[in-house]
Amino acid sequence: MRARVLVRPKAGILDPQGQVVERALPALGFSGVRNVHVGRLIELDVEDPRQLPEMCQRLLTNPLIEDYTVESLDEGGAEVRPLGELRRESA
Amino acid sequence: MRARVLVRPKAGILDPQGQVVERALPALGFSGVRNVHVGRLIELDVEDPRQLPEMCQRLLTNPLIEDYTVESLDEGGAEVRPLGELRRESA
Amino acid sequence: MSRLPKFGVIRFPGSCDEVDAQLACQRVGEAVILWHGDRDLQGVDAVVVPGGFSYGDYLRVGAIARFAPIMEEVADFARAGGLVLGICNGFQVLCEAGLLPGALLPNVSLRFVFRQVELDVASTDSPFTRACVAGERLSIPVKHTTGRYYAPEDQLACLESNDQVLLRYGPGQNPNGSLNDIAGVCNAGRNVFGLMPHPEHAVDPLTGPTGGMAIFESIRAHTDERNRALA
Amino acid sequence: MPANSASPAKHRELGLTDDEYELIVAGLEREPSDTELAMLSLMWSEHCSYKHSKKLLRRLPTEGPAVLMGPGENAGVVDVGGGLGVAFKVESHNHPSAVEPFQGAATGVGGILRDVFAVGARPIAVLDSLRFGEPAESERSRYLLDRAVAGIGHYGNSIGVPTVGGEIYFESSYEQNCLVNAMCLGLAPHDRLIRSAAAGPGNVLVLLGALTGRDGIGGASVLASAEFGDADEDKRPSVQIGDPFAEKKLLECCLELLDSELLVSLQDLGAAGLTSSSSEMAAKGGVGLDIDCSRVPVREADMEPFEIMVSESQERMLCVVEPARVEKVLAVCERWETLATPIGEVTDSGRLRVLAGGEAAADLPVEILVDDCPLYDLAPEAPAAPLYAPAPAVLTGGEPAADSLLALLGSVNIASRRPVFEQSDPVVQSRTVRRPDDADAAVLALPTGEAIAVAIDGNGRRVACEPRRGAAEAVYECAANLACVGATPLGLTNCLNFGNPEKPHVAWQLTEAVEGIAEACEVLGVPVVGGNVSLYNEAPSGPIFPTPVIGMVGRLPDPARAGRLGFAAAGDAIALVGDLTGAETVGSELAKLRGEAVAGPLPPMDEQAVRDAHGKVRSLINAGALHNAHDIAEGGIAVALAECCIAGGVGAGVTLPEGLDPFAEAPGRAFIVSGPEAALTGLAIIGRVGGDDLELAGQVKVAVSDLAAARERGLSRYL
Ligand SMILES: Nc1ncnc2c1ncn2[C@@H]1O[C@H](COP(=O)(O)OP(=O)(O)O)[C@@H](O)[C@H]1O
Ligand SMILES: [Mg+2]
């Protein structure tokens, strides 16, 4: 399956990039933009989707400071299928 | 509207981040992972969605090295709505 | 008699090497700091867009600084043939601003690298390298995380055929995976030059090799000549 | 009167003993409110109160002719002539780095930078001192190394302060408790130096910098003082994210405010956030402060007063401003895109009052926060047997000396640090005369035409063998590093990284080590101007090696003559300066590789001989007589010679003094120097520079290229 992992700064954790982008936009004449957050996008082909949560926990994200969701890109659509989370063996 | 911008390295441009992930996974016991690409995720509230393409072209992405799609996160779902692209005043 | 060149070094929020650049410029002329929010270039002969981490390098290196008010003036200045030198983050800003071709991507190592590198002068036909001898080696440090020069094939071919590559990393010296070992390129008009290495950190024998002087000497020679012509 | 009094059980969760809680209730003559309890538990934590170390620290000499500010301020300051002062301090960020190494190390640098510009100095250099478990054995240690090194580089690089030096050791005792200590130096004209004492009732308290979020809530007591074992993940405070871009603007903003003489006093926000910064400012000024929580700009909705008061959000400063100047202050901050908010005022009440919507959430006498925490006496007891298991043997002792030399050069504690220091910018600010690998100390040119030198050292293995002498050696080695570039010490800072001081053996290590530092300071006449203490670095398996880290700053007249460590010219004579009699391999790297016991005693040293050797090398360097100088430390004279050869890309032929073991260690005592023979008259000539090999007559003959290859691989293979 072609999977998409969306990685975001955990709620409440400082997101300097989001702040700077939000501050920059008005100067470019874009008004009314709020709650900007910048994260990472990872897209990959996986044979066994059940491995995805552990992959995310152990390699693709840093669970201490990042949240993530996983989507399947199959059947064209981007229908959301968040998979269950594992506890990460303490970093 | 709550919008999501997905930014990917243009096809054909070396993506060392993707390669590193791809190389690291087998060592962690994950097999059958291919075509890993790492990009950027930007989520934001916009009053006027029509501004999004220009925002992406001018600030959020660099069209020379990156492709992007925009999704609306409203009505709960993540139904894909790629918006038309503008030509960036060329270098 | 000709007056010394006057340099303007831009200070963005997050610039780090602007004072270093000012000190280097002052070895061959006069140099003032230009505030990112101003629109006055103070009649300088050459603008330096310095190294550092403008706007924290957030979102994309150089992406936000390019929109600073002063950059509009720099763009006009460049279109009118004024000399613009972009160092490291300044190179990234000039590419983002479309004043130079191509873009800079993360080092293949994905790591910040500080290293003294040997550079080959690929062309002396520019206001920035005219004081060099063809094929001359310059020892100058690099320090960046995003220095891999990239341009689409056609653009790259045209850069090469127009002799727009002014500096290349010497054999085995490429620290970031830049295409064609490109360390610095100029625009078609040859009056805008960007490079990843830091010439301003190679001008003082007390602190290391002085390979960077050639760049500043070149700019002095060029402005001398032009000022004489105008006089 | 504060509402919702705390239930007695809470104080334990917050790390206060029942006795301490009784003292609080007695002092207040009532139960503290939740907000008060949160504030008190942090101010009475080890990290803020130094309750197990304060009495010991009094033993350290702090007076010296060059001292402008000593311990007690955010950073110590020494005079470097020409109306300039150099501020410096080292601080630990061990536990945050164990939780999240990249952000932990990055915010460690951010924190020490703030301590330095809090006294009005522009940060001009960063150094770091790192300890991890054995990379060969532990994937976690490789991960911590990789991320911590990247984090340190990230912050320093992004804010434009050069990272000019540091040190790393790998020992299994650090497996569970890595050490990340960061040191910063700053430069200031005397008249810009500022203290943190609040003054002038009616003056306004202005908070500068980042929004206040739930970062590191409880950080000081949980992250920085609790034994960090397999701590329950949910108890972990939210990780602090460093924003060097915000700090860069904050830094420039603060310096402009000081240059425009707009501030009465300035203080950084570190551990325990607003609580410790405000109460320390009030205590030092003998005044009171009223703080209105509801005016503190927050990053998250509905934050409780106690959360606002103890938040450890980074990139914030607190200053006191005369009412008439507030407008000007806000204007400067605006220009630097730095948030500035009046949040309270100075009072003559002698109390710290925290208001939330008109109500007092806390109303405490300043002394109870800052002075009333009980100071504990330690119960030191020397261990009967070694506390630490020997490392697994990789050498038998039967090898030819050449093999031992190659093994030492390739060992993680001696191998090239290039893969680490290449991740940091050592040259920004155009002052760096000696970079990493150029010399034993970093050298920074001053506007006066003179220069300063700085080095950081601390070999925990030797301190573990014999705490008093081992700690003294760290001081001598730092001074020796300065001598190699021609610098005279002006002052030192230190970070005491130890285990649980309530355990008798750790108490003994700590007491002995402080004694050793104090003695060495007296021998060399170097005052201690500041430092930091990190205790409870202890895992179920036991304490870390006792690790006092010494950072020393010195002054040299002519940067152009600053010493280098590489041999320069074939034909130069090589001399041994200093007295190595009694030097042995006890506690050495070779002993480690041979799996020998971590036990003393370490060889004694003749203090006068040490002073003479340092003075000799210093004066020869400053006379421009030498082409190289390098102190003999880990790996003994053989490794020192190899390092001189590798750095210079040239060989050497040497005959060692009768009976000197090529790998014996006696740090800080002796030097390899080279130069034209005429310049070395009166010194013990032991050989010549030249050829492609390093040859120790009758013992070793190896190609310099092979030595270099071994040294290059040793650490890079793990990074
Ligand atoms: N080991 C030590 N030697 C000398 N002074 C020390 C030591 N540890 C702490 N100090 C001093 O105690 C004061 C408080 O230390 P600390 O809490 O780290 O300051 P800050 O909160 O500004 O970081 C500082 O002035 C510091 O220099
Ligand atoms: Mg402080």
Side-chain angles (χ1 to χ4, degrees):
Chain A
M1 127 180 171
R2 183 78 179 157
R4 170 191 289 170
V5 181
L6 300 167
V7 188
R8 306 177 181 79
K10 250 192 178 25
I13 284 231
L14 177 67
D15 174 15
Q17 297 209 71
Q19 287 184 353
V20 164
V21 173
E22 193 163 330
R23 215 193 141 96
L25 282 163
L28 308 191
F30 300 109
S31 54
V33 180
R34 256 171 236 79
N35 301 321
V36 181
H37 286 290
V38 179
R40 290 179 298 125
L41 164 71
I42 303 157
E43 292 176 326
L44 63 174
D45 295 336
V46 285
E47 274 169 15
D48 177 1
R50 286 163 313 170
Q51 291 189 324
L52 275 165
E54 200 191 338
M55 258 183 237
C56 292
Q57 292 286 323
R58 289 183 57 199
L59 182 70
L60 302 182
T61 78
N62 179 347
L64 276 175
I65 56 178
E66 295 172 328
D67 286 330
Y68 70 93
T69 50
V70 180
E71 300 174 357
S72 160
L73 298 185
D74 294 350
E75 313 100 46
E79 147 246 359
V80 186
R81 272 213 274 118
L83 308 180
E85 298 206 350
L86 299 175
R87 267 254 145 280
R88 184 202 213 194
E89 59 278 30
S90 53
Chain B
M1 136 180 162
R2 183 77 180 156
R4 170 190 289 170
V5 180
L6 301 166
V7 187
R8 304 177 182 78
K10 254 196 185 357
I13 296 185
L14 177 66
D15 172 18
Q17 272 184 290
Q19 290 183 341
V20 165
V21 172
E22 210 162 317
R23 272 200 302 273
L25 283 164
L28 299 174
F30 301 108
S31 53
V33 180
R34 264 171 229 79
N35 302 322
V36 183
H37 285 292
V38 178
R40 204 161 47 245
L41 165 70
I42 303 154
E43 292 176 324
L44 63 175
D45 296 336
V46 285
E47 273 170 17
D48 177 0
R50 287 163 313 170
Q51 291 188 323
L52 275 165
E54 198 194 337
M55 249 183 245
C56 292
Q57 292 285 324
R58 286 185 63 204
L59 179 69
L60 301 182
T61 79
N62 178 345
L64 187 69
I65 50 174
E66 296 168 329
D67 292 325
Y68 72 94
T69 50
V70 180
E71 300 174 357
S72 161
L73 298 184
D74 293 352
E75 312 99 45
E79 148 246 359
V80 185
R81 272 211 273 116
L83 307 182
E85 299 208 347
L86 300 174
R87 266 270 136 270
R88 184 194 209 211
E89 60 280 29
S90 73
Chain C
M1 58 142 274
S2 70
R3 66 170 177 80
L4 291 173
K6 180 178 179 184
F7 294 81
V9 183
I10 299 177
R11 171 177 287 152
F12 298 107
S15 292
C16 296
D17 301 79
E18 76 276 31
V19 174
D20 309 77
Q22 184 182 28
L23 290 170
C25 293
Q26 282 167 345
R27 289 173 177 267
V28 299
E30 171 191 358
V32 296
I33 296 285
L34 303 173
W35 184 251
H36 63 100
D38 297 345
R39 293 178 175 279
D40 177 8
L41 294 188
Q42 301 181 28
V44 298
D45 301 290
V47 170
V48 179
V49 190
F53 289 70
S54 60
Y55 297 90
D57 272 0
Y58 294 142
L59 185 65
R60 212 172 53 250
V61 292
I64 296 175
R66 82 161 263 216
F67 291 105
I70 193 121
M71 284 305 293
E72 286 176 33
E73 306 309 309
V74 172
D76 295 343
F77 179 76
R79 273 186 219 98
L83 295 191
V84 181
L85 172 65
I87 302 170
C88 195
N89 188 235
F91 186 11
Q92 296 158 342
V93 171
L94 293 176
C95 287
E96 280 282 335
L99 292 172
L100 284 173
L104 292 139
L105 296 165
N107 300 349
V108 170
S109 70
L110 297 176
R111 283 209 178 131
F112 180 93
V113 59
F114 169 85
R115 195 176 294 159
Q116 196 76 25
V117 294
E118 298 290 311
L119 301 171
D120 290 341
V121 178
S123 171
T124 57
D125 171 21
S126 86
F128 307 94
T129 50
R130 54 181 280 167
C132 304
V133 185
E136 184 178 355
R137 278 277 163 91
L138 307 176
S139 175
I140 298 181
V142 292
K143 46 189 189 95
H144 59 252
T145 313
T146 311
R148 174 169 43 119
Y149 185 76
Y150 167 85
E153 261 173 44
D154 47 346
Q155 206 173 27
L156 198 61
C158 135
L159 282 179
E160 293 287 1
S161 55
N162 294 347
D163 197 27
Q164 283 173 250
V165 178
L166 302 188
L167 294 176
R168 287 184 213 277
Y169 300 109
Q173 299 277 305
N174 188 336
N176 50 37
S178 291
L179 294 176
N180 300 11
D181 294 325
I182 291 172
V185 296
C186 67
N187 63 342
R190 309 190 84 75
N191 64 310
V192 180
F193 176 44
L195 74 169
M196 286 313 295
H198 284 261
E200 81 279 25
H201 287 294
V203 295
D204 182 356
L206 188 61
T207 59
T210 55
M213 273 314 284
I215 308 288
F216 297 97
E217 292 290 3
S218 296
I219 296 173
R220 172 179 32 200
H222 177 86
T223 40
D224 274 3
E225 188 176 280
R226 207 183 41 189
N227 293 336
R228 255 191 243 99
L230 296 177
Chain D
M1 188 46 20
N4 53 48
S5 281
S7 78
K10 274 197 200 137
H11 69 260
R12 293 201 197 100
E13 289 169 44
L14 290 167
L16 290 169
T17 66
D18 292 355
D19 294 351
E20 289 168 343
Y21 187 71
E22 285 318 310
L23 281 172
I24 287 169
V25 174
L28 290 178
E29 293 167 345
R30 61 174 168 85
E31 303 261 313
S33 71
D34 279 1
T35 308
E36 291 171 334
L37 186 63
M39 294 165 66
L40 285 160
S41 69
L42 289 178
M43 292 305 292
W44 286 32
S45 72
E46 188 65 50
H47 188 75
C48 292
S49 70
Y50 287 81
K51 56 190 168 190
H52 286 96
S53 62
K54 215 176 204 136
K55 290 187 172 183
L56 276 182
L57 296 181
R58 298 186 182 134
R59 170 67 181 90
L60 298 171
T62 59
E63 308 284 309
V67 177
L68 297 174
M69 281 191 196
E73 288 299 329
N74 289 305
V77 185
V78 294
D79 181 27
V80 293
L84 294 174
V86 167
F88 60 100
K89 182 167 186 243
V90 61
E91 193 159 65
S92 69
H93 224 218
N94 302 337
H95 296 296
S97 302
V99 175
E100 210 304 296
F102 182 92
Q103 294 297 339
T107 53
V109 172
I112 195 63
L113 286 162
R114 285 193 298 280
D115 270 325
V116 163
F117 68 83
V119 301
R122 170 176 292 277
I124 60 168
V126 166
L127 298 88
D128 54 85
S129 175
L130 309 174
R131 303 290 183 279
F132 304 99
E134 294 286 353
E137 290 157 25
S138 154
E139 185 195 341
R140 173 169 158 73
S141 290
R142 292 193 295 273
Y143 160 78
L144 291 173
L145 167 69
D146 182 77
R147 300 308 293 153
V149 165
I152 286 168
H154 167 69
Y155 211 102
N157 297 338
S158 309
I159 199 170
V161 179
T163 302
V164 300
E167 54 153 18
I168 309 185
Y169 289 89
F170 302 89
E171 300 285 354
S172 54
S173 81
Y174 303 111
E175 174 70 29
Q176 299 280 319
N177 294 268
C178 64
L179 301 184
V180 174
N181 293 184
M183 175 177 178
C184 178
L185 282 72
L187 190 61
H190 290 182
D191 56 16
R192 195 172 69 196
L193 291 171
I194 182 168
R195 295 179 185 264
S196 54
N203 284 344
V204 182
L205 196 61
V206 180
L207 178 62
L208 307 176
L211 296 170
T212 297
R214 290 198 170 88
D215 311 273
I217 297 290
S221 56
V222 179
L223 274 186
S225 297
E227 284 190 26
F228 181 75
D230 12 33
D232 167 3
E233 199 149 347
D234 312 333
K235 283 233 184 69
R236 280 185 186 149
S238 69
V239 173
Q240 308 152 19
I241 304 293
D243 182 358
F245 175 54
E247 183 138 311
K248 171 72 170 168
K249 294 184 293 181
L250 181 62
L251 154 66
E252 298 298 340
C253 179
C254 288
L255 293 181
E256 184 173 331
L257 289 170
L258 291 171
D259 285 331
S260 334
E261 293 172 352
L262 291 171
L263 306 184
V264 174
S265 64
L266 181 63
Q267 164 72 34
D268 64 292
L269 274 71
L274 265 176
T275 298
S276 70
S277 52
S278 60
S279 53
E280 276 163 24
M281 288 175 94
K284 285 173 185 163
V287 296
L289 290 172
D290 286 358
I291 294 179
D292 185 348
C293 273
S294 45
R295 291 163 73 180
V296 173
V298 292
R299 205 170 70 227
E300 290 171 78
D302 53 63
M303 281 180 70
E304 305 271 326
F306 91 86
E307 292 178 304
I308 292 173
M309 287 308 292
V310 306
S311 160
E312 294 187 346
S313 292
Q314 302 291 299
E315 290 92 24
R316 298 180 301 163
M317 302 285 283
L318 197 56
C319 61
V320 173
V321 183
E322 289 168 13
R325 297 189 159 155
V326 171
E327 278 317 307
K328 283 210 186 82
V329 167
L330 300 186
V332 171
C333 295
E334 175 68 40
R335 175 177 145 90
W336 284 107
E337 299 174 11
T338 292
L339 195 60
T341 320
I343 60 165
E345 71 176 53
V346 180
T347 69
D348 53 15
S349 68
R351 303 180 74 84
L352 180 58
R353 295 200 303 149
V354 178
L355 308 168
E359 248 211 38
D363 184 348
L364 297 166
V366 169
E367 316 81 70
I368 200 170
L369 285 157
V370 179
D371 304 321
D372 295 354
C373 174
L375 300 184
Y376 297 111
D377 290 300
L378 303 182
E381 185 184 309
L387 291 177
Y388 305 92
V394 297
L395 295 178
T396 63
E399 300 80 2
D403 295 5
S404 303
L405 176 55
L406 288 165
L408 281 165
L409 287 169
S411 72
V412 284
N413 286 345
I414 292 179
S416 167
R417 269 52 188 144
R418 178 185 315 283
V420 171
F421 68 68
E422 272 196 344
Q423 295 187 49
S424 296
D425 172 1
V427 300
V428 64
Q429 295 190 23
S430 299
R431 276 191 199 86
T432 313
V433 175
R434 292 292 177 268
R435 308 171 185 177
D437 265 7
D438 283 353
D440 285 301
V443 176
L444 301 163
L446 294 173
T448 58
E450 294 193 1
I452 54 169
V454 55
I456 189 163
D457 268 302
N459 182 333
R461 167 168 293 268
R462 293 184 73 83
V463 183
C465 289
E466 190 186 347
R468 187 182 296 209
R469 193 161 279 147
E473 281 181 355
V475 176
Y476 291 127
E477 185 173 347
C478 257
N481 289 334
L482 296 194
C484 287
V485 296
T488 308
L490 296 173
L492 69 77
T493 180
N494 69 104
C495 190
L496 302 174
N497 304 273
F498 285 75
N500 177 353
E502 298 162 54
K503 301 188 176 174
H505 299 338
V506 173
W508 173 78
Q509 291 174 327
L510 185 55
T511 313
E512 286 288 297
V514 168
E515 185 58 34
I517 294 172
E519 286 172 3
C521 287
E522 283 155 359
V523 168
L524 297 175
V526 183
V528 174
V529 300
N532 181 246
V533 178
S534 171
L535 302 177
Y536 300 95
N537 295 287
E538 187 124 359
S541 51
I544 58 166
F545 280 172
T547 312
V549 168
I550 306 297
M552 195 181 290
V553 172
R555 176 178 174 184
L556 58 149
D558 182 358
R561 290 183 169 181
R564 299 179 179 275
L565 74 73
F567 286 141
D572 276 354
I574 301 170
L576 171 61
V577 180
D579 164 33
L580 285 176
T581 43
E584 309 170 43
T585 56
V586 180
S588 67
E589 280 305 307
L590 188 67
K592 175 186 176 182
L593 297 188
R594 288 179 176 167
E596 292 171 10
V598 183
L602 300 174
M605 61 175 72
D606 171 345
E607 291 158 356
Q608 189 53 46
V610 170
R611 271 196 301 261
D612 293 348
H614 290 197
K616 185 76 193 166
V617 171
R618 201 157 45 225
S619 53
L620 285 168
I621 289 284
N622 287 320
L626 301 182
H627 288 159
N628 111 298
H630 184 28
D631 69 311
I632 297 170
E634 281 81 13
I637 193 169
V639 164
L641 285 163
E643 289 166 342
C644 297
C645 289
I646 294 165
V650 58
V654 169
T655 305
L656 295 187
E658 200 48 43
L660 173 60
D661 183 315
F663 308 110
E665 295 181 18
R669 284 166 60 174
F671 304 82
I672 298 292
V673 303
S674 70
E677 179 140 18
L680 306 188
T681 43
L683 301 183
I685 308 288
I686 58 170
R688 290 207 171 278
V689 176
D692 301 326
D693 304 331
L694 171 61
E695 178 163 14
L696 306 183
Q699 305 187 69
V700 174
K701 189 170 195 292
V702 191
V704 173
S705 54
D706 294 342
L707 298 171
R711 179 171 177 272
E712 208 54 52
R713 265 195 315 275
L715 184 54
S716 57
R717 67 182 141 171
Y718 299 119
L719 258 162

